[in-house]
């Protein structure tokens, strides 16, 4: 593999390398803190997200999902400016740099939001969308602005490894979000009211995160043209990558709503809410991994790629069984959570489930390439996915709806996203190179895939047992991964010891 080209911005100021053991320990401690916060906030969010479809029904939920996860998300990806990844990569090495661009980029995001809201309202007027849906989009658009700004503030705290207050803020604001939505559902308020607690939670979070950023990271609001220009140029590949990624998720929902109907969006969103349960560790992985990789690559190439290999191995071992359980039990999960009205969503969920294991691998590879100074490669991969996914949605959504009836359009959208993730992971792994894996990781991956195949065969053979076969499959999977060595108990125990020791020095494994 060719030697990575050093990133010029990372070399702009001298870096004092931290000892590897201390760096790993700090990151592990932050992972535990953020993970604990995430579990609480995710539990609240999950309860609301799973309740919404059941209360609203496929049509109303489809309208809400299209407005929140599709239309506003696609437009406001432009307001992110790619700053979050840039901050985790650069501010981890240059703490004072955040104050050089924060004020200028915040003003720019505000101006962009005004323009975007005007364009969105104009398009909805031309399409003849009802007034209540336009009001919901307006509320969610303002929420998106605060959400992007909060992403910047949170990234500063992540980069400076000051996450205690952030963890508490995440829980408090998620309570505002979840409690408000539950009240809206309880009193059967009109659909636009669902946007009020969503916006209120981000406003509260913005106030808290700004105070924390000033207190713990020394963030100052000032407009520095030179610093703003440097940040925008440095974040450009990440910005383009985010814009391209919009086609792989929100754009699919956006097109699905325009090309078919909002009921199809309801099927798709219901399936994705369940499938997304397996992505609960993705935010922690992103928050912790990027600063850790940025320091590791500056400290030692050998250490950097050792960390890469073990991280890829860990996320694969974690995500594959969850993906398998989601796919095999699709009918059961949909029936238990949503009821019979959403039965067609089970077909969509089976197509969505494999995407999630691929997403974990893509997250790690993208972080590795970014740390290596190859952010543009990640951007090119996302652009390829964007073109491919949009083409599949535009080509197959209406034909699938005609051929397969209800849920056909949603299946086309899920299939498009799956194909894109396969292509993206292949390109990203190839870009990282052979040092991303070794004999141990390849053997364990092969063992895990074979075990997944065996469990699937047993599941199909025991069709007469109904949902009970899921318990049988789970037990069989656990036994097989332990017997074959696909997962090592001693390594899991070592990880637990690292977490329990917290502040004690931890030596990285040599394997």
């Amino acid at each position: 593999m060719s030697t990575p080209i050093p990133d010029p911005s990372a070399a702009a100021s001298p870096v004092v390398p931290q000892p590897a053991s201390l760096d790993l320990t700090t990151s592990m401690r932050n992972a535990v803190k953020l993970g604990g916060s995430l579990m609480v906030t995710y539990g609240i969010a999950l309860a609301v997200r799973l309740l919404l479809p059941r209360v609203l029904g496929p049509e109303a939920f489809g309208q809400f999902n299209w407005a929140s996860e599709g239309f506003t998300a696609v437009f406001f990806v432009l307001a992110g400016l790619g700053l979050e990844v840039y901050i985790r990569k650069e501010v981890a090495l240059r703490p004072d740099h955040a104050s050089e661009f924060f004020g200028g980029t915040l003003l720019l995001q505000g101006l962009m939001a005004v323009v975007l809201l005007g364009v969105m309202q104009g398009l909805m007027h031309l399409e003849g969308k009802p007034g209540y849906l336009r009001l919901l989009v307006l509320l969610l658009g303002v929420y998106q602005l605060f959400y992007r700004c909060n992403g910047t503030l949170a990234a500063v705290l992540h980069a400076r490894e000051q996450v205690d207050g952030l963890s508490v803020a995440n829980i408090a604001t998620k309570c505002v979000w979840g409690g408000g939505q539950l009240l809206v559902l309880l009193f059967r308020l009109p659909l636009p009211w669902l946007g009020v607690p969503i916006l209120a939670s981000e406003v509260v979070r913005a106030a808290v995160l700004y105070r924390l950023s000033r207190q713990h990271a020394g963030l100052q609001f000032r407009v520095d043209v030179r610093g703003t220009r440097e940040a925008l140029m440095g974040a450009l590949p990440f910005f383009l990558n985010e814009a391209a990624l919009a086609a792989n998720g929100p754009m699919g929902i956006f097109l699905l709503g325009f090309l078919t109907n909002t009921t199809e969006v309801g099927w798709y969103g219901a399936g994705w809410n369940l499938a997304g349960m397996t992505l609960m560790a993705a935010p922690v992985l992103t928050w912790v991994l990027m600063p850790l990789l940025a320091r590791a690559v500056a400290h030692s190439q050998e250490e950097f790629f050792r960390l890469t290999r073990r991280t890829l191995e860990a996320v694969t071992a974690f995500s594959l069984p969850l993906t398998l359980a989601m796919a095999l039990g699709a009918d059961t999960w949909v029936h238990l959570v949503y009821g019979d009205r959403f039965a067609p969503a089970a077909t969509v969920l089976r197509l969505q489930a494999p995407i999630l294991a691929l997403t974990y691998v893509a997250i790690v590879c993208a972080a590795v390439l970014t740390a290596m100074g190859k952010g543009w490669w990640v951007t090119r991969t996302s652009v390829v996915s964007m073109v491919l996914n949009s083409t599949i949605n535009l080509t197959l959504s209406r034909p699938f709806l005609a051929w397969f009836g209800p849920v056909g359009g949603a299946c086309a959208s899920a299939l498009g996203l799956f194909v894109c993730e396969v292509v993206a992971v292949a390109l990203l792994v190839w870009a990282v190179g052979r040092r991303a894996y070794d004999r141990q990781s390849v053997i364990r991956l092969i063992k895990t895939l074979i075990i997944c195949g065996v469990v699937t065969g047993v599941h199909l053979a025991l069709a007469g047992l109904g949902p009970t076969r899921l318990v049988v499959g789970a037990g069989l999977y656990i036994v097989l991964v332990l017997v074959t060595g696909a997962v090592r108990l001693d390594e899991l125990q070592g990880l637990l010891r690292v977490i329990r020791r917290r502040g004690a020095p931890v030596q990285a494994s040599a394997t």
Side-chain angles (χ1 to χ4, degrees):
M1 189 185 76
S2 60
T3 303
I5 300 173
D7 188 82
S9 60
S13 61
V15 178
V16 180
Q18 297 184 26
S21 59
L22 178 60
D23 197 29
L24 179 59
T25 302
T26 303
S27 296
M28 290 300 301
R29 292 173 62 189
N30 286 338
V32 174
K33 295 173 187 175
L34 290 170
S37 166
L38 183 66
M39 291 302 294
V40 176
T41 60
Y42 193 84
I44 297 171
L46 182 61
V48 175
R49 286 182 178 276
L50 296 183
L51 184 62
L52 275 173
R54 194 177 190 100
V55 174
L56 296 178
E59 174 61 22
F61 175 68
Q63 291 180 329
F64 174 75
N65 202 49
W66 177 81
S68 59
E69 304 294 334
F71 194 46
T72 56
V74 165
F75 274 83
F76 270 85
V77 74
L78 299 174
L81 302 179
L83 291 174
E84 292 186 41
V85 179
Y86 175 81
I87 290 169
R88 292 189 179 99
K89 181 173 182 290
E90 296 300 325
V91 176
L93 304 175
R94 296 188 291 159
D96 295 336
H97 182 45
S99 297
E100 296 174 355
F101 64 79
F102 176 67
T105 55
L106 184 60
L107 290 177
L108 179 59
Q109 287 175 315
L111 292 173
M112 293 179 67
V114 172
V115 174
L116 291 172
L117 287 172
V119 172
M120 292 163 63
Q121 291 296 314
L123 286 176
M124 296 189 73
H125 176 74
L126 292 175
E127 288 292 326
K129 298 295 184 182
Y132 69 87
L133 193 57
R134 287 157 57 183
L135 177 57
L136 176 62
V137 166
L138 178 62
L139 292 170
L140 293 174
V142 179
Y143 149 78
Q144 285 285 347
L145 171 62
F146 279 92
Y147 176 78
R148 301 293 172 183
C149 295
N150 287 339
T152 299
L153 295 171
V156 171
L157 292 170
H158 296 153
R160 301 304 305 141
E161 297 185 334
Q162 299 290 335
V163 300
D164 291 349
L166 176 61
S167 301
V168 175
N170 287 342
I171 295 174
T173 54
K174 189 58 71 174
C175 288
V176 174
W177 177 88
Q181 291 209 310
L182 289 176
L183 289 175
V184 172
L185 296 178
L186 178 64
F187 290 103
R188 302 282 181 173
L189 298 177
L191 196 62
W193 278 94
L194 285 173
V196 175
I198 296 175
L199 173 58
S201 66
E202 285 302 308
V203 173
V204 172
R205 188 165 180 254
V208 174
L209 293 190
Y210 181 63
R211 181 181 178 183
L212 291 173
S213 298
R214 287 176 59 87
Q215 180 180 352
H216 297 297
L219 185 67
Q220 300 178 17
F221 180 90
R222 65 173 187 263
V223 178
D224 184 328
V225 176
R226 181 177 179 181
T228 301
R229 184 186 302 113
E230 178 187 351
L232 292 176
M233 292 303 296
L236 183 59
F238 311 129
F239 167 67
L240 295 176
N241 182 58
E242 286 182 6
L245 285 175
N248 294 339
M251 182 64 80
I253 298 174
F254 172 69
L255 291 175
L256 184 62
F258 268 113
L259 295 174
T260 58
N261 54 71
T262 49
T263 301
E264 290 287 317
V265 179
W267 304 136
Y268 185 91
W272 191 253
N273 280 350
L274 287 172
M277 292 170 61
T278 62
L279 282 176
M280 60 185 176
V284 171
L285 181 64
T286 302
W287 297 336
V288 174
L289 188 60
M290 191 65 248
L292 183 59
L293 287 173
R295 295 187 181 97
V297 74
H299 183 267
S300 165
Q301 286 285 312
E302 181 181 353
E303 176 188 334
F304 173 74
F305 282 106
R306 182 167 58 244
L307 176 63
T308 298
R309 289 191 293 270
R310 299 290 77 87
T311 303
L312 283 171
E313 186 178 323
V315 299
T316 301
F318 170 78
S319 61
L320 280 178
L322 294 178
T323 295
L324 182 65
M326 194 61 64
L328 295 182
D331 288 315
T332 301
W333 311 137
V334 169
H335 175 74
L336 287 175
V337 176
Y338 301 129
D340 293 335
R341 289 188 299 173
F342 280 85
T347 305
V348 185
L349 179 56
R350 290 193 184 92
L351 292 172
Q352 293 168 330
I355 297 170
L356 304 162
L358 296 169
T359 299
Y360 273 108
V361 176
I363 288 172
V364 175
C365 289
V368 169
L369 290 171
T370 300
M372 293 168 63
K374 293 186 174 182
W376 279 107
W377 184 274
V378 180
T379 301
R380 285 193 291 267
T381 301
S382 298
V383 170
V384 171
S385 296
M386 175 186 68
V387 174
L388 182 59
N389 193 29
S390 298
T391 301
I392 292 174
N393 273 278
L394 290 170
T395 304
L396 297 182
S397 289
R398 285 176 176 168
F400 267 45
L401 184 61
W403 297 338
F404 303 111
V407 92
C411 287
S413 187
L415 179 63
L417 187 55
F418 171 72
V419 171
C420 289
E421 283 298 300
V422 171
V423 172
V425 167
L427 292 174
L428 291 172
V429 171
W430 184 80
V432 174
R434 293 196 59 180
R435 296 179 72 179
Y437 51 89
D438 55 14
R439 186 173 182 272
Q440 172 182 304
S441 57
V442 171
I443 290 176
R444 289 187 177 181
L445 175 60
I446 292 173
K447 287 179 179 179
T448 304
L449 291 175
I450 292 174
I451 291 169
C452 288
V454 172
V455 172
T456 300
V458 172
H459 180 85
L460 295 175
L462 299 178
L465 292 180
T468 305
R469 57 185 172 159
L470 294 174
V471 179
V472 175
L476 178 61
Y477 185 92
I478 293 172
V479 170
L480 290 178
V481 295
L482 294 179
V483 169
T484 62
V487 173
R488 295 274 303 273
L489 277 178
D490 57 337
E491 293 179 357
L492 292 177
Q493 291 169 350
L495 177 60
L496 291 176
R497 284 196 297 271
V498 169
I499 295 173
R500 283 198 299 266
R501 279 200 297 262
R502 291 176 177 256
V506 179
Q507 298 299 328
S509 172
T511 57

